[in-house]
Every structure is written in C-alpha cells, then in structure tokens.
Amino acid sequence: MRILLIKSGNTGARATGITPPLGLMYIASYARTYRNDDVRIFDIRFHKQYLDDIENIISSYKPDIVGISALTLEAPAMFQIAQLIKTIDKSLPVIAGGPHTSSVPEEVIQNNNIDIAVIGEGEITFKEILDAFEGDKALRNIDGICFRADNEIATSRHEMNFSQMRTSGENPIAIDTIETDQITPIVKTRERQYIQELDSLPFPAWNLVELDQYSKRRSMSHVGLRSYMVVFTSRGCPFHCTYCHNIFGKRFRARSVENVLNEMEILIHQYHINDFEIIDDISNFNRERIKSICHGIINRGWHIRLSFPNGVRTDILDEETILLLKQAGTAQLSIAVETASPRLQKLVKKDLNLDKVRRAIDIAASNRIFLTGFFMFGFPTETEEELKATIKFACKSKLHVALFFVLHPFKGTEIVKQIEQTGKKLPDTNLEDFDYYVLSFNPSAVDNKRFHRLYSWAYLRFYLNPSRIFRILRDKPLHNDLLLRVIGFLRSSMPASKNKKGFSNIHGE
C-alpha cells in the first residue's frame, strides 16, 4: 500500500521550535518492516502553502491511505487537511492520531472527514488498520481505535466495507458504543496495551524526513542550530502529575542500553549526526540505566553532544549521574520545577523535593551544563504569594534559561476536575489557544490584571541579571540562534491574550 503520513502544525503558535516527527517516523518504519509498504512523510510546518502541496502530493503519489498526527493546538490544521483530502477523494481513508486524538478520540471522530481515531501508541495499531483495509482483520478486533458505527469505506483499492461488521452476525469484541448528539453512534474498542519490548521496534525511518530542514530551525533544546536527531530511550512515566496527558502510560518502559547505543551508532556513522536530543518523559528514572548509557558513550570514544529538552526528574538526579552525563557530552538539561510551593507540588501530584532540585541545579551549573527551567503559572487555588515564590525560586537559581508557562488544562487530565472543584467552569477555548504562551484563562486565585503583570515581571526579573547574561554567553553550547532566543524571550514576557483583559471569562469567579 501507498501511505502518506502528515505531521500537522500551527504556524501561528508562539513556540516556534520544530523537531523531527519521531512518532510518525516510528509508524512509518513499523509499516515498512512488517508490511513492506511504501510510505512518505510530509511535515506541514515547513510549508506556507501546505494545502496546495498536499493536493499535489495526493495527485502525484496517489496514496491508499492518509494518516495525520497533531498536538491540540495543531488540531485545527488537522481537520482542515482532512477536509481537503475528502474533497479530493471522498473514498480516501483518513486516520487521525497523536496527543490530541488520544486525549479526545470521541470528539475527533465526530468530524466526518476522519474515518478512524488512533488512541495511544500507534505502531501496532496502525499496522493492524492497514491489515483491515486489505481484509485481513476486522476493525472491531483492533484495540485502541475509535470510529463511527456506520462509517462505510468501499473503494476499488481496498474492497473494505465497514458496515459489514454490523451485519456479519458476529458479536463485536470488547467495544463500547457511545451515543452522541449525532444520530450515528461511535464505537470505541478496548484499550491498547502498551508495547513492553521496545527493542522489538525498528529504528525510526530517518530517511523519510529532510534532516537538513530541521537543522535550520530552533529545536526543543537551547543548544543552537545544528544537525541533530531526537531519540526516545524509554516511554512512560510512573508519576501522576494531574496536568499530564499520560500518552505513554504510567509504567516506565525502557529500551536496552545496547539498543540505544546501536541507534546512536547508526546515526553517527551513516547520517553524520553528533547531536542527540533525548526526549523521554523521564529518562533518568532508572539511575543505573542512564549511567550505563553514559559509560557506553564514553567507552566508545564518541565526541557527541547530548541534550535533554523534555526535562529530567531532578530530585533523583545525583552528583555522580550529573558528572557522568557531563563526561558523556551532555550540554543541556531541562529542569521541570513547575512551582516552588510545597502545597501546590502535592496538589498537582508532582511532589518534587525542592531542596534536592536546588542542589542538582547548583551541581550541574558548576559543571557548565546549560540549564533550562520550566515553571507553570495558574494552578487552581494558587495564591499571589505562591506565584511570587516560584518567580523567586527561578531568579535565585543558577538556571541559564527560565520558561514560564501558563497552565492549559487539557481535556482528559485530572487537573480539569481539580479546577471544576474550585467552582470555576472552564470556558470554551479555541484549540489554537492551547499555546503555553497564550493567556487563555486564569484558574488561580490571583486577580487577572495582577496575574498578567506578574507573568511579565517574571521574565524581566529573571533575565535582567548581569551575572546570568554572562553565564548564558559563557556556557551556551552554540550561539548561532542567540538572536532568535532573545526575541523569543522578549515575546514571552508579553504573552498573547484572548481579549483586552488578558483572559477569557471564567464562570464562577
């Protein structure tokens, strides 16, 4: 089969970093390995006229099936693309996946231009969907998907009719039929079990993306512009932060050390990549494993650069591990603090030991590792004193960079219930407003106007520090994107708002 995988995007987002679509690259590699399919990947984030380009690809490539992956703020473009595809060829199947679809599959599948929603990890699920289109498997037997019960796709390419599932006389296996406001019910199959043996996955399809394009754009880390590749060494996080999507589950699943090193070796020798961004949810959860990876890099004599832009669990990061990370080539670490309030740490179930975090920051900074701190404003019941304490923590720390994000309660997360329990009702929010730098609403106990001022003040106070500016210039691995970063920080200090007051209305205030 010919498969077109599309990475959705949002050109209006204030966070402009672009990294290779690793999820789609894994799905492409899995389909090629286990089905020998012909797969192409198209990333709309590099194309201003992406609808025209997609139309041209469909016309020339003539795919048998199209998959689209999107974050929440990228969902509007995903729906736009799906509509275009159905306009070109109504019989062409459209499969949606990614974090947004996994969070609200029932909502996504109500869009008539999308045929199947994939929930969670997509490698095996997508392969089984392809099998179904060739008549080798019934949709009702595929775990981890959602579709409309009367969805019928019958083309000369696939000869697959979904309605036959209901008239075959066989009972569906472990599915839920969800009645909606529509006449058509929605079918959601049983939960897909997470992949336990990650070493069984083929390496991502690096040759399906244009690596040079990503080297010219800001990435997730603050290393600078360079050729690099993102790497998952593990999936899942055992902690229960209430604002987290939980895409990869609550069980830490790790690739073997040798499997990780083999992937890096191929990238080094075949693709001339010497920069790696480790984007695990919690790469240092198993301390001995991360140390073994470092020893493997050191023993092989590789002169590479590592960064951890997705954040590490800092209160379990000891001095020995930090020194090994530095020796292995670690140039950047992200420290996800979120809040300096012990009360809020427990409320959102992150429960960091802040004293250990401070010590880890000091050790890493003294070893000239470039440090990025993540902080969040707007937790339910957060007071002005707690917000100020978070700002003070950031400013007194030896972090090089601080990013102050505004809480966005994504559907399906526990923090939505926590906000509602305070008596506040979440307003209707455009999906494109799920940008961490957009002040869409304020669930804290701080007055809206004051909240806005404190947000701006946090950036100004943090960066208007001569010693910090000196350390940024001294320790930054590469300076070829420094101007872009400065502009980004200035923009961040003036967050975008939905209205002149800075927030949309919140019922119950």
Side-chain angles (χ1 to χ4, degrees):
M1 294 178 68
R2 292 184 299 276
I3 302 164
L4 176 61
L5 300 177
I6 299 174
K7 176 65 182 80
S8 187
N10 186 320
T11 56
R14 306 194 90 194
T16 58
I18 295 178
T19 60
L22 195 57
L24 290 184
M25 292 160 65
Y26 265 112
I27 289 171
S29 181
Y30 199 88
R32 293 199 303 186
T33 299
Y34 291 100
R35 287 179 41 87
N36 199 31
D37 288 311
D38 180 3
V39 189
R40 294 189 185 182
I41 294 177
F42 179 81
D43 192 336
I44 77 167
R45 296 171 296 177
F46 293 108
H47 300 264
K48 293 183 179 180
Q49 305 297 327
Y50 59 85
L51 292 177
D52 291 339
D53 293 335
I54 291 173
E55 186 172 1
N56 291 334
I57 291 173
I58 292 176
S59 176
S60 59
Y61 180 51
K62 301 187 186 307
D64 297 302
I65 193 167
V66 178
I68 312 173
S69 176
L71 302 173
T72 294
L73 80 165
E74 299 169 341
M78 176 178 72
F79 294 129
Q80 186 184 40
I81 293 166
Q83 182 179 19
L84 169 68
I85 292 168
K86 291 298 186 181
T87 301
I88 297 171
D89 184 351
K90 191 174 183 179
S91 67
L92 184 56
V94 176
I95 317 300
H100 180 69
T101 300
S102 295
S103 298
V104 287
E106 297 91 348
E107 289 187 15
V108 169
I109 205 62
Q110 288 182 40
N111 185 296
N112 290 328
N113 298 309
I114 292 175
D115 299 303
I116 302 173
V118 174
I119 307 166
E121 289 178 319
E123 290 92 350
I124 297 175
T125 305
F126 193 76
K127 184 261 183 187
E128 292 182 358
I129 291 173
L130 298 177
D131 293 341
F133 274 92
E134 292 184 336
D136 295 334
K137 194 176 184 70
L139 275 185
R140 65 180 181 274
N141 295 334
I142 300 175
D143 295 344
I145 65 172
C146 194
F147 57 93
R148 292 182 301 281
D150 71 343
N151 193 356
E152 184 176 34
I153 299 177
T155 71
S156 59
R157 293 189 294 270
H158 308 303
E159 298 181 353
M160 172 67 189
N161 192 319
F162 289 178
S163 65
Q164 291 175 357
M165 294 184 303
R166 305 192 313 282
T167 60
S168 63
E170 299 180 27
N171 292 324
I173 298 176
I175 65 172
D176 295 324
T177 302
I178 304 165
E179 298 292 341
T180 69
D181 293 336
Q182 301 181 129
I183 297 175
T184 305
I186 291 174
V187 176
K188 184 178 181 181
T189 65
R190 63 186 175 187
E191 184 177 350
R192 164 75 60 180
Q193 296 299 307
Y194 292 105
I195 301 168
Q196 299 305 316
E197 297 296 331
L198 294 182
D199 284 8
S200 68
L201 294 174
F203 294 145
W206 303 300
N207 63 335
L208 292 185
V209 297
E210 298 182 40
L211 298 180
D212 289 344
Q213 290 192 72
Y214 297 96
S215 69
K216 299 173 184 176
R217 299 290 293 269
R218 289 170 52 186
S219 67
M220 293 173 62
S221 74
H222 291 85
V223 171
L225 302 180
R226 79 281 187 222
S227 296
Y228 72 98
M229 181 47 63
V230 287
V231 175
F232 269 130
T233 77
S234 67
R235 294 182 182 182
C237 175
F239 295 94
H240 294 80
C241 302
T242 62
Y243 50 83
C244 181
H245 263 310
N246 187 29
I247 298 298
F248 292 116
K250 291 303 178 185
R251 182 174 179 271
F252 180 75
R253 295 167 290 132
R255 295 167 56 191
S256 68
V257 173
E258 283 304 313
N259 188 254
V260 173
L261 294 173
N262 288 342
E263 177 182 3
M264 297 175 71
E265 186 167 24
I266 293 172
L267 286 166
I268 291 169
H269 295 300
Q270 295 186 21
Y271 291 87
H272 309 293
I273 297 292
N274 292 296
D275 267 271
F276 301 91
E277 294 196 0
I278 311 301
I279 58 173
D280 305 11
D281 286 335
I282 182 167
S283 56
N284 66 316
F285 178 71
N286 184 324
R287 186 178 302 170
E288 294 306 314
R289 175 180 168 275
I290 193 70
K291 286 161 59 176
S292 294
I293 291 175
C294 290
H295 282 301
I297 292 170
I298 295 166
N299 293 338
R300 284 164 173 77
W302 291 341
H303 299 289
I304 63 175
R305 188 159 38 212
L306 300 176
S307 59
F308 295 77
N310 214 28
V312 294
R313 179 81 187 190
T314 320
D315 58 354
I316 61 174
L317 190 63
D318 63 357
E319 183 171 8
E320 181 186 2
T321 305
I322 292 173
L323 295 177
L324 267 176
L325 285 167
K326 176 66 176 182
Q327 190 178 354
T330 298
Q332 187 270 344
L333 281 175
S334 291
I335 311 295
V337 181
E338 319 306 6
T339 176
S341 163
R343 181 185 75 88
L344 292 178
Q345 284 283 344
K346 292 185 181 298
L347 176 70
V348 301
K349 300 182 181 180
K350 188 174 183 78
D351 210 13
L352 273 178
N353 184 318
L354 295 171
D355 289 334
K356 290 184 178 180
V357 172
R358 290 186 182 93
R359 173 166 170 74
I361 290 173
D362 289 344
I363 295 171
S366 66
N367 283 278
R368 305 272 296 267
I369 296 176
F370 198 83
L371 300 175
T372 303
F374 296 153
F375 301 90
M376 295 176 68
F377 291 170
F379 287 118
T381 73
E382 182 175 22
T383 66
E384 180 171 337
E385 289 70 27
E386 288 172 321
L387 202 154
K388 286 181 175 178
T390 298
I391 297 173
K392 183 178 180 181
F393 182 102
C395 293
K396 289 187 67 176
S397 74
K398 293 183 179 179
L399 294 168
H400 297 81
V401 171
L403 298 177
F404 300 98
F405 300 118
V406 180
L407 172 69
H408 282 290
F410 292 95
K411 290 184 179 180
T413 59
E414 185 181 346
I415 205 160
V416 171
K417 296 179 181 178
Q418 290 182 321
I419 293 172
E420 291 174 344
Q421 288 170 357
T422 68
K424 293 184 178 182
K425 182 180 179 181
L426 273 67
D428 293 331
T429 304
N430 294 328
L431 295 177
E432 290 182 329
D433 289 329
F434 280 85
D435 183 334
Y436 297 114
Y437 298 109
V438 173
L439 302 182
S440 59
F441 77 105
N442 172 18
S444 75
V446 183
D447 172 77
N448 285 354
K449 186 175 182 180
R450 183 64 175 161
F451 187 99
H452 197 291
R453 287 182 176 177
L454 286 171
Y455 185 96
S456 299
W457 179 64
Y459 273 103
L460 294 174
R461 182 181 172 189
F462 184 86
Y463 287 106
L464 294 180
N465 181 325
S467 64
R468 195 180 313 280
I469 294 172
F470 168 77
R471 289 193 300 107
I472 290 173
L473 294 173
R474 183 194 66 183
D475 298 340
K476 196 173 191 304
L478 295 171
H479 293 85
N480 52 13
D481 70 336
L482 192 57
L483 179 60
L484 292 173
R485 293 292 179 186
V486 171
I487 294 172
F489 296 146
L490 292 175
R491 291 183 68 201
S492 300
S493 68
M494 298 177 287
S497 304
K498 288 187 64 178
N499 56 36
K500 293 181 180 179
K501 294 182 179 180
F503 300 94
S504 60
N505 294 326
I506 303 176
H507 303 288
E509 280 195 321

